Amino acid sequence: MATNIPPHNLQEVIDATICLLDKPTATVSELMAHLPGPDFPTGAYICGRANIRRFYETGRGSIKIRAKAEIVEKDGKEQIIVSEIPYAVNKEMLVKRIADLVNEKKIVGISGLRDESSRRAGIRIVVDIKRGAMGSIVLNQLYAHTALESVFGSTMLVVDHNRPRVMNLVQVLQAYIDHRLEVVTRRARFELEKAEARAHILEGLLIALDNIDDIVHIIRNSRTREDAAATMGQRFNLTKVQTGAILDMRLHQLTGLALEDIQAEYDELQKTIKYLRELLASREMRLGVIKTELIEVRDKHSNARRSEIIADEGDLQIADLIARHSCVITVSNSGYIKRGPADTYRRQQRG
């Protein structure tokens, strides 16, 4: 089994996830308003929204990627300037393929070919067109015979609960939300246990500081650490963890300032414990945490889309050919139904 999920724009994916968080019944069309399609790091054009929709609805599809090229005129001749190439296409192999096509006379309108790419300028492949040849025809030939136009086969195959599944866009985003719910829940449980353990120790320290004279007397009159711990535990109803923390205290921690610090820490811990318990009891609160964290990631790491999505001949639908207008539907008592344009009727404005 193999998966091949195209790269996407971080901001768009997060926006679509937030949309699904706010509206769990969102459809693929509603999510595509935020996530229009893949976004490749090499840029280029993505041709056709119908293929993207098919991929998002079924989990399988093919996405056509076309290099970004423009035809310019220089010294009375046309040039094709390629500035972005399809994802996963090797530039050197692409240039070699164009040169082979010229040598094999499969493309006859090219007079020169140069790779002017650099770190500063990025991708720049220059194709000189012969006088009398049309740059648009040569460019279409390059699209047809080289990797300037390629197809990215996409399969959203994932491992979900130890089982391989092909998911659509809604399912894969929901699986991510479910995963984040589990992460937030486990993290809250861990932090709650940690906070409760620390609060338990602080409770013992506060008891000791409130009865500092008796504590010092018990310690001074005990032969061993174990005897002191047992005596304190019986007298003040302390646990072994609490007595151990008391016996580990240094002399400078017995001042009034230390008591204030411990009390302030204990009060803050009580607020944290209360919040974490409410968080674990409320799914809506956990979803809110997920949304907040996603927004923080988006604001910190988002960047602009690189691949432009353009229309393709496969995007045309029957509905696009019909003009939109208002209609009136009439139904007779015998079941006859008729549709007619609304401007056929007019209001009489009587009474």
Side-chain angles (χ1 to χ4, degrees), residues 52-175:
I52 298 174
R53 179 179 297 276
R54 191 176 305 113
F55 167 57
Y56 284 159
E57 288 177 345
T58 65
R60 298 182 187 273
S62 57
I63 298 170
K64 187 194 296 183
I65 315 171
R66 179 178 290 176
K68 183 173 287 188
E70 62 175 340
I71 300 173
V72 300
E73 189 171 337
K74 183 178 181 181
D75 299 331
K77 295 191 301 181
E78 289 184 326
Q79 285 183 334
I80 298 174
I81 310 295
V82 179
S83 56
E84 296 177 5
I85 60 177
Y87 182 65
V89 170
N90 184 284
K91 178 174 62 69
E92 286 73 18
M93 296 298 295
L94 173 63
V95 174
K96 183 178 182 300
R97 174 60 178 163
I98 297 174
D100 291 342
L101 289 171
V102 174
N103 294 332
E104 295 167 4
K105 308 295 184 182
K106 291 185 177 180
I107 298 180
V108 296
I110 296 177
S111 62
L113 174 65
R114 298 184 304 280
D115 182 5
E116 299 179 355
S117 305
S118 65
R119 287 188 177 181
R120 179 176 296 180
I123 298 291
R124 182 179 171 85
I125 302 172
V126 181
V127 180
D128 294 324
I129 308 300
K130 292 180 179 179
R131 292 187 185 276
M134 294 183 63
S136 57
I137 299 298
V138 175
L139 181 57
N140 287 335
Q141 291 175 333
L142 291 174
Y143 284 144
H145 297 291
T146 71
L148 282 179
E149 183 175 285
S150 60
V151 175
F152 188 94
S154 305
T155 304
M156 199 103 73
L157 178 66
V158 301
V159 178
D160 180 43
H161 294 89
N162 299 322
R163 295 188 62 183
R165 286 183 58 196
V166 176
M167 290 186 174
N168 61 24
L169 180 62
V170 176
Q171 291 170 329
V172 76
L173 290 182
Q174 186 59 55

